[in-house]
Amino acid sequence: GFSYFNNQKLKKAYDKEIIVADSLYQAKDYETARNSYRKALSYRPNVPYPSEKIQEINQITGIPIASSDTLQQEIPEEQKPEEISAPRTVAGTLSPEDRQNMYGLFAGAVVGEKEFYTLENDLIKVNLSTLGGRVYSAELKNYTTFDSLPLILFDGDSTVFGFKFFTWDNKPIETNNLYFLPIADGKSMVADNSSRSVSMRLQVEPYKYIEYVYTLEPNSYMVDLDINLVGMKDIFTGNLNSLDLNWEIFLPQQEKGRQNENKYTSIKYKYYQDDVDGFREMSSKDLEEKEITTKVRWLAFKDQFFSSVIIADNYFLNAWVQSQKLPESPKYLRHFRTELGVPFEGKDSEIINLRFYFGP
């Protein structure tokens, strides 16, 4: 029964992503459509339709088509340095009417300008993007890669962090693709003598919004994330008791011995009030995934020596995790994904207290 539930969940996610991708394709927003088809393909790798659409887009946009797996080829393509700064937005191709039809109350957040705000102390430097209001990159300042480059745990437009939900009028919303309004004392904040904070707010109506408040203390690898949900119980579809929080990163190679580093790269998680578990290190599997139906305290994307961890002050209700090896990519070892169930009590105002750990 459980694998049936898992398959049905993946099929629903696939179907929803295909609807979005097809709409973007029809609107000729090919770059964003390709990202959506790739995401759909990750839900159902054996379905040919997303690969066919990606190849069509590649022909239209002039990207050479490789004969091997389309998903594998697309991952490094998106990560070319010259493309990192290009905003992923449908603003240029969707009419105001189309935006309203697709996004409803969130239509105003489809249009915006991608800006970056920095939080740093003596240990870490975190870049925050107004697109998605998310952590765009995380750098460990006292470490370097094997070839003496800055040690960056993850970065780029391919990073995903945000909530996925349906509104009361049945609009599928992914906050990762919407523009947040920044609230900060400046674009570069240094926590040297005291803590510093940056807020990112996704405004729906004057007193209805989702707000991420990032706070960094001096001499700490920990970034506090307080999520304020204000007036959102009237926006979400009825009778919600949890929200899906998605987090995805491409994990870059840091050490000289790629094969050895890959052996010790994995996803780990701690059950609430119980033991640590996760995918087995040195596993030979190219793709692993697991549905966790019990409460989880934290979840870590880890390589041989460093980790990116999301921690709940209380707990996550459940989780789904996936690890995919990227043997064709010269830069990246793995694509890590998780979907976490965040408790929601349906109050007029709620605060979800989370933390990130970026460090050794």
Side-chain angles (χ1 to χ4, degrees):
F2 185 64
S3 80
Y4 171 79
F5 168 79
N6 187 32
N7 287 334
Q8 288 298 104
K9 185 172 184 180
L10 289 174
K11 184 180 183 302
K12 277 181 65 177
Y14 169 86
D15 291 342
K16 190 167 75 172
E17 199 64 48
I18 286 295
I19 291 170
V20 173
D22 285 344
S23 298
L24 294 166
Y25 182 88
Q26 291 298 322
K28 297 185 179 179
D29 187 347
Y30 296 123
E31 190 63 38
T32 316
R34 180 165 49 212
N35 290 332
S36 281
Y37 284 124
R38 254 198 327 106
K39 187 173 286 188
L41 191 61
S42 71
Y43 292 128
R44 303 191 72 188
N46 297 322
V47 177
Y49 179 72
S51 295
E52 292 167 0
K53 298 302 289 185
I54 289 168
Q55 291 193 13
E56 284 181 31
I57 291 170
N58 287 348
Q59 286 181 312
I60 292 167
T61 57
I63 294 176
I65 300 171
S67 58
S68 56
D69 180 77
T70 305
L71 179 62
Q72 293 281 357
Q73 290 296 318
E74 284 299 301
I75 289 163
E77 275 295 325
E78 185 181 320
Q79 291 301 308
K80 288 181 179 177
E82 64 268 24
E83 293 178 359
I84 287 296
S85 60
R88 284 167 48 185
T89 172
V90 297
T93 53
L94 289 181
S95 69
E97 292 79 13
D98 286 339
R99 288 201 298 269
Q100 192 65 44
N101 289 336
M102 287 179 67
Y103 297 96
L105 290 167
F106 291 85
V110 175
V111 182
E113 188 168 342
K114 187 169 67 172
E115 298 180 301
F116 295 100
Y117 287 75
T118 302
L119 273 178
E120 65 179 302
N121 58 20
D122 54 336
L123 299 177
I124 63 173
K125 181 178 180 180
V126 173
N127 283 321
L128 306 170
S129 173
T130 54
L131 180 54
R134 65 182 180 270
V135 177
Y136 184 87
S137 66
E139 176 184 345
L140 304 186
K141 295 170 70 171
N142 296 332
Y143 297 89
T144 60
T145 63
F146 73 94
D147 47 358
S148 302
L149 297 174
L151 197 145
I152 297 172
L153 296 176
F154 59 87
D155 77 327
D157 287 331
S158 59
T159 300
V160 171
F161 181 82
F163 290 105
K164 296 174 77 169
F165 55 85
F166 282 89
T167 60
W168 64 270
D169 55 348
N170 210 33
K171 308 293 186 191
I173 300 299
E174 295 184 41
T175 63
N176 180 74
N177 299 325
L178 300 176
Y179 284 94
F180 285 61
L181 301 173
I183 304 168
D185 293 335
K187 283 203 164 184
S188 183
M189 315 274 285
V190 180
D192 43 13
N193 298 315
S194 61
S195 64
R196 303 301 297 269
S197 295
V198 174
S199 295
M200 294 283 179
R201 181 177 291 186
L202 179 59
Q203 197 83 39
V204 184
E205 292 177 354
Y207 301 102
K208 299 181 191 295
Y209 57 83
I210 298 171
E211 183 179 47
Y212 301 158
V213 183
Y214 297 94
T215 303
L216 181 63
E217 301 279 349
N219 195 38
S220 175
Y221 289 110
M222 203 80 75
V223 179
D224 284 351
L225 171 57
D226 295 327
I227 300 176
N228 298 313
L229 303 174
V230 178
M232 294 303 296
K233 73 179 181 68
D234 300 324
I235 304 296
F236 298 143
T237 188
N239 301 319
L240 269 188
N241 59 13
S242 70
L243 294 168
D244 288 340
L245 180 63
N246 282 48
W247 188 25
E248 302 179 25
I249 67 170
F250 286 87
L251 196 79
Q253 179 180 345
Q254 311 285 10
E255 312 302 324
K256 189 171 184 178
R258 178 187 177 100
Q259 188 174 357
N260 190 62
E261 183 181 9
N262 219 344
K263 285 181 181 178
Y264 297 98
T265 297
S266 182
I267 297 177
K268 299 293 182 184
Y269 42 86
K270 186 184 187 302
Y271 294 110
Y272 181 62
Q273 296 179 332
D274 209 340
D275 296 335
V276 174
D277 201 355
F279 295 140
R280 185 175 61 85
E281 293 178 3
M282 301 190 188
S283 170
S284 60
K285 295 178 181 177
D286 289 336
L287 180 68
E288 294 182 272
E289 60 182 65
K290 183 174 181 180
E291 190 92 32
I292 305 162
T293 57
T294 55
K295 294 175 182 175
V296 173
R297 179 71 196 283
W298 56 253
L299 184 137
F301 297 150
K302 65 170 292 292
D303 62 20
Q304 189 172 2
F305 298 111
F306 307 100
S307 296
S308 300
V309 189
I310 188 166
I311 306 160
D313 276 12
N314 198 358
Y315 52 77
F316 300 107
L317 291 170
N318 46 55
W320 172 81
V321 291
Q322 184 187 77
S323 170
Q324 181 183 10
K325 290 183 181 178
L326 305 175
E328 304 299 322
S329 171
K331 182 177 177 182
Y332 297 96
L333 297 175
R334 305 280 183 106
H335 181 207
F336 283 151
R337 303 175 59 209
T338 185
E339 185 175 292
L340 298 157
V342 176
F344 178 67
E345 297 178 8
K347 298 177 181 176
D348 287 329
S349 180
E350 293 188 36
I351 300 178
I352 300 163
N353 301 116
L354 307 178
R355 286 172 289 157
F356 284 113
Y357 170 85
F358 303 124

